[in-house]
Amino acid sequence: MLEVIMFFYQLIYYLSRPQDQSRKWYLILLFLLIIYNITGGLFPDEKLSIPIITQNIIAYGSGFLTASYFPYYFYKGFDLKRLRFHAIYGVPLFLIAPFLIFFVIVYSMNGNLDFAIRYGIIVPFFYSFILLWAILRSIRLKYIEDTGRINFIEMVAIYCALIPWATLTIFAFFHVGQLAEVIMTNGGFVIITIIFITRSIKKAREEYEEFLVLRSMPNQADAFATNVQLYQLTNREVEIIQFIRQGLKYKEIGEKLFISERTVSTHVQNAFEKTKSSNKVELIHKLDQPISYAI
């Protein structure tokens, strides 16, 4: 229930700022975890009208799917280009394919779940450790490239978050109790959530500081007027952008223009899309720059 509440809260925030791509990838991860918890809690249950084989396929499939998404989440959410092969090609070959072969096809034919577990997790077992090493190596190199140093606290946190998911195959092979498995996997997700929130706060602070610097700079009227025409911004969008430059919040802008805060947000989102900007700082910076830079 807590994860469902968190999901809708994050979804509302994302819908108000759809340019926040990192939040989108996090939302997908959260949604998959909710499905994993629901299916793991409901299945298998002989009282349900769904065949036991189908229930087991769904239950194990949600776990495989969630674990398979982790490389793509770090590839997109953390901008780790080195994970592209694993995210796009490695996961389908070494995680999804074994599941489809042994848990869907073979298990559906012979009904032997132990056989599917015994042979279906061999490849995912070894590949999960390759993935763990690849993700952590990519993050380490990303830190060095961006800042010249390693954030050891965040690195340790990511280790703790990923290890439970990397060991899912071990849980399945040794038939570890469901309670222990759920505590471990959801505990790992809690750590990822803390990392996500910490990074979001840091990013918001950096954007705000850049915005303050940008506000203190003189307005390049000629460049602004030219770029407004270039991006085909409406008069209302330009009016709102001018208020944003002054540091007004959406609610304050709405009161001045006698429109709702939601309408202000809609106009801002339209301006973001037209200028291909991801935040207010980038938007104003683009509009104030000479046309050659803006293009």
Side-chain angles (χ1 to χ4, degrees), residues 43-98:
F43 302 145
D45 187 348
E46 295 180 354
K47 297 179 181 179
L48 298 175
S49 58
I50 304 173
I52 292 296
I53 290 179
T54 303
Q55 292 185 41
N56 280 322
I57 290 175
I58 294 174
Y60 279 94
S62 63
F64 268 88
L65 185 61
T66 305
S68 298
Y69 179 70
F70 267 90
Y72 196 83
Y73 170 71
F74 282 98
Y75 168 58
K76 287 291 188 179
F78 285 64
D79 193 28
L80 301 179
K81 299 291 192 299
R82 294 179 179 84
L83 286 179
R84 185 176 185 276
F85 171 81
H86 293 287
I88 298 177
Y89 303 106
V91 165
L93 285 172
F94 304 116
L95 287 181
I96 297 179

Side-chain angles (χ1 to χ4, degrees), residues 137-153:
R137 180 177 179 273
S138 298
I139 292 175
R140 177 178 176 274
L141 293 176
K142 178 73 173 176
Y143 278 133
I144 295 175
E145 291 173 357
D146 292 349
T147 65
R149 60 186 180 84
I150 301 175
N151 188 329
F152 286 103
I153 295 178

Side-chain angles (χ1 to χ4, degrees), residues 248-292:
L248 272 66
K249 297 180 180 178
Y250 289 1
K251 183 178 180 180
E252 297 171 330
I253 296 173
E255 292 173 351
K256 284 184 174 292
L257 299 178
F258 302 102
I259 58 178
S260 68
E261 184 178 350
R262 184 180 182 85
T263 302
V264 174
S265 177
T266 300
H267 284 299
V268 174
Q269 295 304 324
N270 291 337
F272 283 158
E273 292 178 6
K274 291 178 180 179
T275 59
K276 299 295 187 292
S277 302
S278 59
N279 54 62
K280 293 182 289 186
V281 175
E282 187 177 354
L283 172 65
I284 296 175
H285 190 65
K286 277 190 174 183
L287 294 177
D288 279 351
Q289 294 301 314
I291 186 172
S292 60

Side-chain angles (χ1 to χ4, degrees), residues 16-201:
S16 66
R17 295 188 63 182
Q19 73 278 3
D20 188 351
Q21 293 297 298
S22 62
R23 195 172 303 274
K24 178 177 73 174
W25 307 124
Y26 173 80
L27 270 170
I28 295 174
L29 180 62
L30 179 54
F31 176 77
L32 291 175
L33 182 71
I34 292 172
I35 298 300
Y36 165 76
N37 284 323
I38 292 175
T39 56
L42 293 178
F43 302 145
D45 187 348
E46 295 180 354
K47 297 179 181 179
L48 298 175
S49 58
I50 304 173
I52 292 296
I53 290 179
T54 303
Q55 292 185 41
N56 280 322
I57 290 175
I58 294 174
Y60 279 94
S62 63
F64 268 88
L65 185 61
T66 305
S68 298
Y69 179 70
F70 267 90
Y72 196 83
Y73 170 71
F74 282 98
Y75 168 58
K76 287 291 188 179
F78 285 64
D79 193 28
L80 301 179
K81 299 291 192 299
R82 294 179 179 84
L83 286 179
R84 185 176 185 276
F85 171 81
H86 293 287
I88 298 177
Y89 303 106
V91 165
L93 285 172
F94 304 116
L95 287 181
I96 297 179
F99 167 75
L100 293 176
I101 293 171
F102 289 95
F103 285 87
V104 177
I105 299 174
V106 176
Y107 177 49
S108 297
M109 295 173 62
N110 63 18
N112 190 334
L113 182 60
D114 288 335
F115 180 89
I117 293 174
R118 187 178 304 112
Y119 296 101
I121 65 173
I122 293 176
V123 173
F125 172 79
F126 290 104
Y127 184 64
S128 62
F129 290 100
I130 294 174
L131 265 182
L132 181 64
W133 175 82
I135 292 173
L136 295 174
R137 180 177 179 273
S138 298
I139 292 175
R140 177 178 176 274
L141 293 176
K142 178 73 173 176
Y143 278 133
I144 295 175
E145 291 173 357
D146 292 349
T147 65
R149 60 186 180 84
I150 301 175
N151 188 329
F152 286 103
I153 295 178
E154 190 165 315
M155 283 288 293
V156 172
I158 294 172
Y159 266 112
C160 296
L162 287 176
I163 287 176
W165 289 96
T167 55
L168 268 181
T169 50
I170 299 177
F171 294 158
F173 186 82
F174 290 103
H175 298 282
V176 174
Q178 190 181 60
L179 178 61
E181 177 184 331
V182 169
I183 290 175
M184 288 287 288
T185 52
N186 284 273
F189 178 78
V190 168
I191 297 174
I192 287 181
T193 299
I194 294 173
I195 295 172
F196 170 76
I197 293 174
T198 301
R199 291 169 66 93
S200 297
I201 293 173

